[in-house]
């Protein structure tokens, strides 16, 4: 296990516009995938005790490290441990992988804080399996957060114009 990893992203949309991207299955599938990849949501239950199962697919020409579910796929199940609307979401993430080093659950906490410009989103990953390359992980998370920001900011702009 590695120490925790923290990622902070300021998003120019209000918390009530950003938070649903974590609890809406279609929104989750759109943003929670790095650039140059695709995703498939297999199951979603947005309650504490529920969760979701998601596959991330790499392009055929991707150079991959070990630790994948299948040749071009990472699949995991996330369980919602705590949901505090507008404040935080805590999940346990279990990778589907034959390697025992990948099977231990990873904790992910999303914290939402209102700032003058919108929302400060902090993601904290703890108990990260050692097989996950921290550089690749960071690139993937930053890419997904950028996608989230673009989607939320676009939605926020539409909401402001509608009001």
């Amino acid at each position: 296990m590695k120490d925790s990893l923290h990622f902070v992203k300021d998003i120019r949309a209000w918390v009530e516009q950003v938070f649903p991207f974590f609890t809406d299955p279609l929104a989750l599938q759109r943003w929670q995938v790095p650039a140059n990849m695709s995703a498939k949501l297999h199951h979603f239950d947005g309650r504490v005790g529920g969760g979701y199962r998601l596959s991330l697919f790499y392009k055929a020409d991707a150079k991959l490290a070990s630790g994948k579910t299948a040749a071009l796929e990472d699949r995991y199940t996330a369980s919602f441990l705590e949901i505090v609307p507008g404040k935080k979401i805590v999940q346990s993430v279990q990778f589907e992988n034959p390697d025992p080093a990948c099977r231990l659950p990873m904790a992910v906490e999303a914290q939402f804080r209102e700032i003058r410009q919108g929302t400060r989103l902090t993601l904290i990953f703890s108990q990260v399996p050692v097989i996950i390359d921290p550089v690749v992980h960071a690139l993937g998370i930053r890419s997904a957060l950028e996608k989230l920001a673009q989607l939320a900011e676009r939605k926020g702009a539409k909401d402001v114009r509608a009001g």
Side-chain angles (χ1 to χ4, degrees):
M1 302 274 176
K2 295 180 182 165
D3 293 334
S4 63
L5 301 170
H6 291 71
F7 298 89
V8 177
K9 179 73 176 170
D10 288 348
I11 301 172
R12 292 182 313 257
W14 303 116
V15 170
E16 59 269 13
Q17 295 161 325
V18 176
F19 192 85
F21 280 89
F22 286 76
T23 57
D24 175 273
L26 295 177
L28 189 74
Q29 182 174 285
R30 285 185 68 196
W31 79 266
Q32 205 172 56
V33 56
N36 300 319
M37 294 180 75
S38 61
K40 179 180 179 186
L41 191 63
H42 303 281
H43 165 78
F44 186 86
D45 178 353
R47 306 172 285 153
V48 171
Y52 59 93
R53 188 170 177 231
L54 185 73
S55 288
L56 303 175
F57 297 100
Y58 297 84
K59 291 188 174 192
D61 61 350
K63 295 179 179 146
L64 303 175
S66 60
K68 305 298 171 214
T69 303
L72 296 172
E73 177 187 9
D74 275 332
R75 186 179 317 139
Y76 64 89
T77 300
S79 301
F80 291 116
L81 304 177
E82 183 178 5
I83 300 174
V84 180
K87 299 289 182 194
K88 75 176 174 176
I89 296 176
V90 180
Q91 303 174 52
S92 175
V93 174
Q94 178 108 32
F95 293 95
E96 294 181 26
N97 192 291
D99 186 330
C102 283
R103 286 194 227 131
L104 297 172
M106 174 174 66
V108 181
E109 182 172 332
Q111 301 173 349
F112 304 81
R113 186 167 64 102
E114 195 168 299
I115 57 174
R116 187 183 338 174
Q117 306 88 339
T119 301
R120 175 158 294 151
L121 172 63
T122 302
L123 292 181
I124 304 166
F125 293 79
S126 357
Q127 302 165 322
V128 179
V130 294
I131 198 163
I132 294 177
D133 181 326
V135 173
V136 173
H137 188 211
L139 288 171
I141 296 300
R142 286 189 183 106
S143 175
L145 286 175
E146 189 58 40
K147 194 181 290 185
L148 169 63
Q150 290 171 3
L151 291 166
E153 289 168 4
R154 195 170 355 172
K155 180 181 179 355
K158 287 179 187 172
D159 288 349
V160 168
R161 283 193 290 267

